[in-house]
Amino acid sequence: MTHRRKLIAGNWKMNKTAADGAALVTELVGTIGKITDVDVVVCPPFTALESVARAIDGSTVKLGAQNLHPESSGAFTGEISAPMLRALFATHVIVGHSERRSLFAETDAFINLKVLAALKNQLRPILCVVESLAEREAGATLKVVQTQLEAGLQGVSKEQMANLVIAYEPVWAIGTGKVATTDQAQEVHAFIRGLLTKLFTEPVAQRVRILYGGSMKPANAPELLAQKDIDGGLIGGASLEARSFVELVNAASAAK
Ligand code: PEP
């Protein structure tokens, strides 16, 4: 079986000033800044990217953005492009987060353009596929995930898949304290890997990391991370405080 190194990514959302972000990562770097058996990514708001980049310089912690615009430059007031993120030393970017889909009306087609723009600019997209409570209760989970994944990955090559990460996020578990059961999460992760086999190849599917996102905390992480197809976490609330984030990274290290 292919060994996939676990990945823990912190999505700070609209939290932390440049100074607060630098202080948080300075604490992280002090404890997990040399870790090599887990990939650690922090995704501050745009305004803190530069200060955080400086604070993680020389450590193994990597920098991600929370969004990007598909175009490289132009008349897109308020937007940030992939080359701008690269210039700040970002290596990852979250694409299609549920909050972007629901609050900012991002469609699968637009999300696909962002995925392609990220890859073209050597940024690794963390493509979120999300499911609402109504969809789960209607038994539509797998269909919804399939539709988002097929649309989001249009035009992505087998080779590019090596640089892409997928995050499965049940919206009803995001910031709510409700967590999907390990069986519920593993079922969807295994389904996603099966779909990647069909869309690409078995070796490609075995290499792609699939993260779980939705109230992952130090208390529930070990069980989730022990699942065969759960390769890490996209962490919201618990990434805003050094202690809980470090515990999650340590849980990923122990689960490898
Ligand atoms: C998220 O927003 O991606 C997320 C998983 O948030 P939380 O961990 O707070 O549920």
Side-chain angles (χ1 to χ4, degrees):
M1 202 184 91
T2 315
H3 173 73
R4 294 180 296 272
R5 188 164 40 198
K6 295 261 193 284
L7 192 161
I8 298 291
N11 173 14
W12 296 0
K13 309 192 183 187
M14 198 171 69
N15 294 293
K16 310 278 180 200
T17 62
D20 292 344
L24 172 57
V25 280
T26 300
E27 241 186 296
L28 295 179
V29 165
T31 43
I32 50 165
K34 297 283 174 225
I35 199 158
T36 53
D37 60 350
V38 176
D39 285 337
V40 179
V41 182
V42 289
C43 303
F46 292 138
T47 47
L49 283 170
E50 192 166 5
S51 67
V52 168
R54 244 184 271 117
I56 60 175
D57 191 27
S59 80
T60 53
V61 177
K62 298 186 181 72
L63 184 65
Q66 298 173 19
N67 188 23
L68 82 166
H69 191 277
E71 296 295 331
S72 293
S73 62
F76 300 100
T77 302
E79 293 295 310
I80 307 279
S81 73
M84 291 170 179
L85 297 176
R86 289 290 300 155
L88 289 174
F89 308 105
T91 52
H92 293 69
V93 60
I94 300 170
V95 179
H97 189 274
S98 65
E99 287 146 22
R100 300 294 322 169
R101 291 175 186 265
S102 63
L103 303 175
F104 301 96
E106 289 194 7
T107 62
D108 284 329
F110 193 49
I111 289 163
N112 175 241
L113 293 178
K114 294 183 181 211
V115 167
L116 296 174
L119 290 168
K120 192 172 141 220
N121 289 280
Q122 288 78 49
L123 279 170
R124 294 168 182 258
I126 301 175
L127 171 62
C128 302
V129 289
V130 313
E131 158 225 5
S132 69
L133 186 56
E135 287 160 347
R136 171 153 290 271
E137 285 174 350
T141 298
L142 302 184
K143 183 81 205 99
V144 165
V145 164
Q146 177 166 357
T147 303
Q148 289 177 18
L149 209 55
E150 286 177 350
L153 296 176
Q154 277 289 322
V156 176
S157 70
K158 276 188 222 153
E159 293 70 30
Q160 286 175 317
M161 282 303 287
N163 293 322
L164 187 135
V165 175
I166 291 169
Y168 161 60
E169 299 212 306
V171 177
W172 45 272
I174 294 183
T176 58
K178 279 186 202 154
V179 66
T181 66
T182 46
D183 288 348
Q184 284 172 329
Q186 167 57 26
E187 184 200 5
V188 181
H189 283 235
F191 173 77
I192 292 172
R193 206 173 302 286
L195 193 58
L196 294 177
T197 303
K198 283 192 208 131
L199 294 175
F200 298 95
T201 61
E202 169 78 18
V204 167
Q206 285 302 325
R207 229 177 24 226
V208 173
R209 265 108 39 111
I210 308 173
L211 314 183
Y212 169 78
S215 295
M216 194 188 264
K217 306 246 169 342
N220 57 34
E223 203 182 322
L224 286 162
L225 292 168
Q227 301 305 304
K228 186 165 150 276
D229 291 292
I230 300 184
D231 306 313
L234 181 55
I235 318 296
S239 71
L240 293 174
E241 199 237 316
R243 201 162 74 183
S244 47
F245 193 66
V246 166
E247 278 184 51
L248 289 170
V249 172
N250 289 337
S253 175
K256 70 184 177 329

